[in-house]
Amino acid sequence: MEIIKSPDALKAALKATQGSVGFVPTMGALHIGHKTLIQAAREANDIVVVSIFVNPTQFLAGEDLESYPRRKEADEKICSLAGVDYLFYPDVSDMYGEDEVSLIAPDVRGYILEGTSRPGHFSGVLTVVNKLLNIVRPDRAYFGRKDAQQLMLIQTMVKNLFMDVEIVPCHTVRDSDGLALSSRNAYLSADERGEALKISRALTKASHLVGKGVLESDRLYAEMLAVLEPLEVEHVAIVNRAFTPLDTVEVGNTIILVEAVVGTTRLLDNVWI
Amino acid sequence: MEIIKSPDALKAALKATQGSVGFVPTMGALHIGHKTLIQAAREANDIVVVSIFVNPTQFLAGEDLESYPRRKEADEKICSLAGVDYLFYPDVSDMYGEDEVSLIAPDVRGYILEGTSRPGHFSGVLTVVNKLLNIVRPDRAYFGRKDAQQLMLIQTMVKNLFMDVEIVPCHTVRDSDGLALSSRNAYLSADERGEALKISRALTKASHLVGKGVLESDRLYAEMLAVLEPLEVEHVAIVNRAFTPLDTVEVGNTIILVEAVVGTTRLLDNVWI
């Protein structure tokens, strides 16, 4: 595995290679969820590139940019063992200059749900993912379904801007107790972790109810909120795959999403139905 | 020459070709300035692509989107005679959908000079040029220096977003009386055209003064405004190639710009010193 810091050096290295390229962009603090993305990339491509970059433009003022977990040595080891060919590890100054052109999220789908609680967050995500995709020029790029709105917006960007890459969604990996893996889980105290389980439990409850034929969104919202109580719930949403809210679940085309704050930690989870 | 309307069809056609691709994006109503861009592309590349698309997102409310000159047959003839391989002629619905990801011009350089009189204009330009460059994936793309701020912002976009294309600036073509060629010159009455010549005369005056050693911007502004009078001048600016205003001309690194409204027609011109 080669570790590369400069975008130009990575471009040059990749131009000298042949075969398909799979790309997994991350913010580091890698866990088994990331490893699943890397494995998917490894299986389908000749070359695998992972980037680790804690992107400042997707953090709002007062968010956890400074304290976001950074684990360089462990991350390098995980990538190396997972068969990564190139680990791209740029500094902020490698990725951003002054007074830049940037991307802006769609007016509607970028500013609902998590976009409401974090205005501007998705514009920062899209800007850095656009840069990364242009540097790496992968055939396929891998993203987790846990960040479902982010995934949908990246797919939207690729379509709107006519980018040549296949976006591959990967399933959410959970701990044995059901908690969706996230680098931010490291912030949770033992008590908070117990509380956080309510999120996956609420989603499991909704899935079971849908399985029993309960399709009305209002009924599902009420049942989920009863499970989530007393968490600080940012939103519970039932949307189709294009993120239009649904009054009634459409099996095969629905995502049920929860965003909640546990202690000071914002957690996301969802199920695809 | 093949005329193609659909982005996907153009992508497919270009993927089936070999060799370098030169690209000239236009809004049609082609004149000798455009022909110069096409010739430059023809000389340096195996395949030449011209796009004709009157991009709605770069027109502000109340601007001339509806009346912008459209001359499909003449434009096709000009492209065919100039040796264009592919003429890309999409509809608005081929290029834009609903609730899209878009690009936004830099906070400073996108909102000075023409960006002040046309707020949002350059974000529309960057969005469509990003789309077009991703569709065509040219080795080189050709832009006129007449639209100097646009050219600088496109170069900025390519750098900021790590795009793989060489932006080739081409010199401004003028009528024999000095007026810089522009599709919008078609709007000018005979009297207005006479008035419009003050723009190139003011720039020529400034060039001559610089040649005589007059380098102070304030002195040059005053001399140019005396020539431009009584035109409605939006701005006269002396900036370096990165568009930072200069108190003193730096020979080899300066652009002197004029934007003025003649009748109802906005005209731009500049000299590179």
Side-chain angles (χ1 to χ4, degrees), chain A residues 113-140:
Chain A
L113 305 175
E114 191 182 357
T116 308
S117 41
R118 307 180 75 189
H121 165 69
F122 287 120
S123 297
V125 170
L126 293 172
T127 298
V128 80
V129 172
N130 190 281
K131 287 174 187 254
L132 289 167
L133 290 174
N134 282 343
I135 293 167
V136 177
R137 291 214 172 287
D139 297 278
R140 299 174 194 85

Side-chain angles (χ1 to χ4, degrees), chain B:
Chain B
M1 184 177 79
E2 198 175 337
I3 301 176
I4 296 184
K5 185 182 157 306
S6 131
D8 284 346
L10 181 62
K11 276 193 169 196
L14 289 169
K15 271 193 183 142
T17 65
Q18 289 199 324
S20 61
V21 175
F23 177 43
V24 182
T26 81
M27 298 213 302
L30 302 180
H31 51 62
I32 297 175
H34 297 108
K35 205 174 150 194
T36 304
L37 300 177
I38 297 170
Q39 282 167 343
R42 183 71 281 168
E43 281 163 23
N45 300 278
D46 299 311
I47 307 284
V48 174
V49 181
V50 171
S51 64
I52 294 183
F53 181 62
V54 181
N55 172 41
T57 67
Q58 71 191 70
F59 288 78
L60 276 65
E63 288 190 346
D64 56 341
L65 173 60
E66 296 308 320
S67 60
Y68 194 86
R70 285 162 171 89
R71 299 196 195 112
K72 191 162 191 290
E73 280 183 35
D75 287 348
E76 284 179 22
K77 189 82 182 173
I78 289 167
C79 287
S80 174
L81 290 172
V84 170
D85 298 295
Y86 296 98
L87 175 55
F88 180 47
Y89 219 129
D91 288 332
V92 172
S93 61
D94 296 314
M95 293 298 288
Y96 288 100
E98 289 198 353
D99 198 35
E100 287 217 326
V101 173
S102 59
L103 274 77
I104 188 158
D107 291 343
V108 177
R109 286 173 297 162
Y111 290 88
I112 55 173
L113 305 174
E114 191 182 358
T116 307
S117 41
R118 307 180 74 190
H121 165 69
F122 287 120
S123 297
V125 170
L126 293 172
T127 298
V128 79
V129 172
N130 190 282
K131 287 175 186 253
L132 289 167
L133 290 174
N134 283 343
I135 293 167
V136 178
R137 290 214 173 287
D139 297 278
R140 299 174 194 85
Y142 297 78
F143 293 88
R145 282 183 168 175
K146 186 179 78 65
D147 299 304
Q149 191 174 4
Q150 167 180 287
L151 170 62
M152 174 273 296
L153 290 170
I154 289 167
Q155 288 171 319
T156 302
M157 171 179 76
V158 165
K159 182 169 174 251
N160 293 165
L161 300 181
F162 301 96
M163 299 175 78
D164 265 333
V165 58
E166 180 191 348
I167 301 299
V168 183
C170 296
H171 69 87
T172 300
V173 180
R174 299 176 182 285
D175 263 337
S176 54
D177 56 11
L179 186 67
L181 295 190
S182 163
S183 302
R184 288 193 168 99
N185 292 352
Y187 298 149
L188 299 172
S189 69
D191 281 356
E192 286 170 348
R193 201 188 148 90
E195 285 296 291
L197 292 178
K198 290 178 174 170
I199 297 171
S200 54
R201 281 188 199 132
L203 289 164
T204 304
K205 171 104 186 191
S207 296
H208 286 167
L209 287 168
V210 170
K212 287 181 189 165
V214 178
L215 301 179
E216 311 86 71
S217 296
D218 283 346
R219 169 88 186 277
L220 295 168
Y221 287 137
E223 296 277 359
M224 292 173 76
L225 286 168
V227 177
L228 288 164
E229 179 131 303
L231 285 190
E232 184 188 330
V233 177
E234 293 280 355
H235 66 255
V236 177
I238 298 176
V239 298
N240 67 15
R241 299 286 160 88
F243 272 67
T244 305
L246 294 174
D247 291 333
T248 308
V249 167
E250 297 169 3
V251 176
N253 187 33
T254 297
I255 310 174
I256 305 181
L257 306 116
V258 174
E259 179 185 350
V261 178
V262 180
T264 57
T265 306
R266 184 182 306 280
L267 297 173
L268 298 174
D269 200 355
N270 57 69
V271 287
W272 297 49
I273 284 171

Side-chain angles (χ1 to χ4, degrees), chain A residues 202-224:
Chain A
L203 290 164
T204 304
K205 171 104 186 191
S207 296
H208 286 167
L209 287 168
V210 171
K212 287 181 189 165
V214 179
L215 301 179
E216 311 88 69
S217 297
D218 283 346
R219 168 89 186 277
L220 295 167
Y221 286 138
E223 295 277 359
M224 292 172 76

Side-chain angles (χ1 to χ4, degrees), chain A:
Chain A
M1 183 177 79
E2 198 174 338
I3 302 177
I4 296 184
K5 186 182 157 305
S6 130
D8 284 345
L10 181 62
K11 276 193 167 193
L14 288 169
K15 272 195 181 144
T17 64
Q18 289 198 323
S20 61
V21 174
F23 177 43
V24 182
T26 82
M27 299 215 301
L30 302 180
H31 50 63
I32 298 174
H34 297 108
K35 206 175 147 191
T36 304
L37 300 176
I38 297 170
Q39 283 166 342
R42 183 71 280 167
E43 281 164 21
N45 300 278
D46 299 311
I47 307 285
V48 173
V49 182
V50 170
S51 65
I52 295 184
F53 181 62
V54 181
N55 172 41
T57 65
Q58 72 191 70
F59 288 78
L60 276 66
E63 288 191 345
D64 55 342
L65 173 60
E66 297 308 319
S67 61
Y68 193 87
R70 286 163 171 89
R71 298 195 195 114
K72 190 163 192 291
E73 280 182 34
D75 287 348
E76 285 179 21
K77 190 82 181 173
I78 289 167
C79 288
S80 174
L81 290 171
V84 171
D85 297 295
Y86 296 99
L87 175 55
F88 180 47
Y89 218 129
D91 289 331
V92 173
S93 61
D94 296 314
M95 293 297 289
Y96 288 100
E98 289 198 354
D99 198 35
E100 288 215 326
V101 173
S102 59
L103 274 76
I104 188 158
D107 290 344
V108 177
R109 286 173 298 162
Y111 290 88
I112 54 172
L113 305 175
E114 191 182 357
T116 308
S117 41
R118 307 180 75 189
H121 165 69
F122 287 120
S123 297
V125 170
L126 293 172
T127 298
V128 80
V129 172
N130 190 281
K131 287 174 187 254
L132 289 167
L133 290 174
N134 282 343
I135 293 167
V136 177
R137 291 214 172 287
D139 297 278
R140 299 174 194 85
Y142 296 78
F143 294 87
R145 282 184 169 174
K146 186 180 78 64
D147 300 304
Q149 192 174 4
Q150 166 180 290
L151 170 63
M152 174 273 296
L153 290 170
I154 288 167
Q155 288 171 319
T156 302
M157 171 179 77
V158 165
K159 181 169 174 250
N160 293 165
L161 300 181
F162 301 97
M163 299 175 78
D164 265 334
V165 58
E166 180 191 347
I167 301 298
V168 183
C170 296
H171 70 88
T172 300
V173 180
R174 298 176 182 284
D175 263 336
S176 55
D177 56 10
L179 186 68
L181 294 191
S182 163
S183 303
R184 288 194 168 101
N185 291 352
Y187 299 150
L188 300 171
S189 68
D191 281 356
E192 286 170 349
R193 202 189 147 89
E195 284 296 291
L197 293 178
K198 290 178 174 170
I199 297 172
S200 54
R201 282 189 199 131
L203 290 164
T204 304
K205 171 104 186 191
S207 296
H208 286 167
L209 287 168
V210 171
K212 287 181 189 165
V214 179
L215 301 179
E216 311 88 69
S217 297
D218 283 346
R219 168 89 186 277
L220 295 167
Y221 286 138
E223 295 277 359
M224 292 172 76
L225 286 168
V227 176
L228 288 164
E229 180 133 302
L231 285 190
E232 185 189 326
V233 177
E234 293 280 354
H235 65 255
V236 177
I238 299 175
V239 298
N240 67 15
R241 299 286 161 89
F243 272 67
T244 304
L246 294 174
D247 291 333
T248 308
V249 167
E250 297 170 3
V251 176
N253 186 32
T254 296
I255 311 174
I256 305 181
L257 306 116
V258 174
E259 178 184 352
V261 179
V262 180
T264 57
T265 306
R266 182 182 307 280
L267 297 173
L268 298 174
D269 200 356
N270 57 70
V271 287
W272 296 49
I273 282 172

